[in-house]
Amino acid sequence: EGMEHHEPSGMYYNWYDEATGEALRSWPGTGDVVHPFVSSVDSGWLGAALLVVANADPVAGPKARALFENMRWDAFYNPGDGKNGHPVVRTGGLMHGGFFVFDHDRPGGVYRGTHVGGGDVWLTTHHYDTIVSETRITSYLGILTGQVPGKHYFAPWRTFPATCDWSWHEMQPVGVTRTYLGIEVYEGAYTYRGMHIVPGWGGSMFEELMPAVFVPEETWAPRSWGVNHPLHVRAEREHGLEEAGYGYWGFSPASDPFANYREYGVDALGLNPEGYFSDKERTNYDPGFGTCRPAKNPNPTFGDGVVTPHASFLAMMFERGQATANLLKIEQKLGAYGDGGFFDAVATRSGTIARRYLSLDQAMVMGALGNVLAKDVLRRAFSTPDVEAALRPVIGIEEFGAGVVED
């Protein structure tokens, strides 16, 4: 309640002086200038947490609800029509990466404007435009509050197109085009180990499953997330155990055993041609793009694979037995366990451990455990009947191009 924030939107900045509650203007230790930034995805997780507390905690709930109801999700929503000087984006509109509030010297990538009044801000020209991403929690909050239209959910890519002029992305997808709420959607999917899977940007577990900690996507959207979530988990497991031969699985951005932080994932499950790789060596899987681009490395040999326990905890919501067995091996054979629980990541061949605990990753561990062991406790607190009434009719009508490939 007392922290400095952007009052017209009710949103909070990314970095604070924890002693005063003021947004940082200089970086501790170096004095480098900090331009207060409001991130759409980070605000999404704050909003999700506030909604959980509002619905589940009778003591703190009223204050949490007041904070949540003051948040304007349409502050991030660009309808995409080019009006009022805003960039033209995909039909249905997309979420900005966020905005800076004060004048700053950041070169490029921003423009002055506002979607909610209260004075111009510096909005990012970058928008989130893929559906398999942790960023969809912000879209859910906009839709369930009625501040963003349901058609926005169908604006992000499922995959990029399969045509040769898009041949830069990881592989040529397969799929058909369907129409939902007046939006044409190419229901593309990647082909991997006998499966058609809708990919994320990097191919990581948290892109796929972090929103599912709060929303029972596989139940409310059985023909999309109900198919894709189990297949993504299966694909990560088969990559680690069979394709790469690490003996372990579960790949997601984490503290790096060899440095500070790095994005890990399964390259074949990501649109990014430079990938979130699963090993220290950054082994690139390149199957080509049909007749448009020849394959350069369709059958790679992988090196020192890096797994992170939080990925297995997320997977536990869909493969409880397999994920539990994997975690036991990580603890007992790799020794990646300390007084605070599982360390953040471990390299499977060298045994190098990132002996740190990242708060975000621990939150995913605890959230997934709460759902698995306590009858969807986080999901029940977030996905109330009112939320279901607003969100399920939107996400439930879609049919992904995902599935097991028939011979």
Side-chain angles (χ1 to χ4, degrees):
E1 292 178 327
M3 291 169 64
E4 181 183 4
H5 62 282
H6 182 242
E7 294 187 7
S9 67
M11 296 294 173
Y12 289 79
Y13 304 114
N14 265 29
W15 307 285
Y16 282 90
D17 182 330
E18 69 274 21
T20 66
E22 294 180 351
L24 289 181
R25 267 69 169 184
S26 62
W27 203 251
T30 67
D32 292 344
V33 173
V34 173
H35 300 290
F37 180 69
V38 180
S39 161
S40 60
V41 63
D42 294 344
S43 297
W45 294 116
L46 173 58
L50 287 171
L51 190 56
V52 165
V53 175
N55 291 329
D57 188 328
V59 177
K63 288 188 175 183
R65 186 168 298 282
L67 291 169
F68 177 79
E69 291 181 348
N70 197 42
M71 300 173 99
R72 292 284 303 271
W73 304 102
D74 51 345
F76 304 115
Y77 174 63
N78 180 2
D81 52 18
K83 294 181 179 179
N84 299 317
H86 297 293
V88 176
V89 295
R90 289 177 56 77
T91 302
L94 297 171
M95 292 290 183
H96 291 275
F99 57 84
F100 297 87
V101 174
F102 306 105
D103 288 343
H104 66 92
D105 56 1
R106 183 170 184 258
V110 293
Y111 71 100
R112 294 197 68 157
T114 180
H115 295 290
V116 294
D120 284 351
V121 295
W122 290 90
L123 289 153
T124 65
T125 53
H126 158 71
H127 299 77
Y128 290 115
D129 65 351
T130 56
I131 199 64
V132 178
S133 168
E134 75 280 8
T135 61
R136 66 182 179 275
I137 194 68
T138 309
S139 298
Y140 288 162
L141 291 166
I143 294 168
L144 69 88
T145 57
Q147 297 171 10
V148 174
K151 66 180 181 180
H152 155 67
Y153 178 73
F154 299 104
W157 298 103
R158 277 51 186 167
T159 68
F160 301 128
T163 56
C164 287
D165 54 342
W166 284 80
S167 62
W168 59 267
H169 64 102
E170 186 67 67
M171 71 176 73
Q172 192 166 42
V174 296
V176 299
T177 297
R178 298 189 177 95
T179 301
Y180 312 95
L181 303 184
I183 306 293
E184 288 191 353
V185 178
Y186 173 57
E187 294 290 4
Y190 279 0
T191 303
Y192 179 71
R193 296 184 62 82
M195 295 170 276
H196 287 157
I197 302 174
V198 181
W201 175 245
S204 65
M205 198 75 82
F206 97 122
E207 290 173 291
E208 180 76 35
L209 294 184
M210 193 172 171
V213 174
F214 294 86
V215 178
E217 294 175 308
E218 74 280 2
T219 300
W220 291 2
R223 297 182 300 166
S224 54
W225 301 114
V227 181
N228 215 60
H229 285 339
L231 289 180
H232 182 101
V233 172
R234 173 186 158 186
E236 288 219 7
R237 173 171 50 79
E238 290 189 3
H239 173 73
L241 299 183
E242 299 178 27
E243 182 184 33
Y246 299 141
Y248 306 86
W249 57 280
F251 309 93
S252 203
S255 187
D256 189 358
F258 305 100
N260 295 316
Y261 185 85
R262 198 178 117 188
E263 291 89 355
Y264 288 98
V266 177
D267 189 16
L269 303 180
L271 293 156
N272 182 0
E274 298 179 355
Y276 290 180
F277 304 112
S278 66
D279 60 1
K280 175 188 175 183
E281 293 76 10
R282 301 177 185 265
T283 300
N284 184 42
Y285 168 75
D286 185 350
F289 202 91
T291 60
C292 309
R293 171 171 57 82
K296 293 182 179 179
N297 196 18
N299 299 296
T301 299
F302 296 90
D304 197 0
V306 176
V307 297
T308 180
H310 82 257
S312 288
F313 279 99
L314 290 174
M316 198 181 290
M317 296 189 294
F318 297 90
E319 288 193 1
R320 182 168 179 172
Q322 294 95 323
T324 302
N326 189 50
L327 286 163
L328 285 171
K329 287 172 59 183
I330 292 173
E331 176 191 3
Q332 296 171 1
K333 295 186 177 182
L334 295 177
Y337 197 90
D339 291 340
F342 283 96
F343 290 118
D344 213 58
V346 55
T348 58
R349 291 181 180 165
S350 66
T352 309
I353 299 171
R355 296 182 179 275
R356 297 179 287 274
Y357 305 100
L358 295 193
S359 57
L360 172 63
D361 298 348
Q362 292 297 309
M364 286 186 275
V365 167
M366 294 179 185
L369 270 179
N371 287 332
V372 170
L373 300 180
K375 298 180 180 179
D376 280 346
V377 63
L378 246 69
R379 287 175 159 190
R380 286 185 285 111
F382 182 93
S383 296
T384 62
D386 287 344
V387 169
E388 181 176 4
L391 200 54
R392 187 170 186 169
V394 176
I395 71 173
I397 61 177
E398 185 173 16
E399 182 181 352
F400 276 176
V404 177
V405 179
E406 297 181 1
D407 294 333

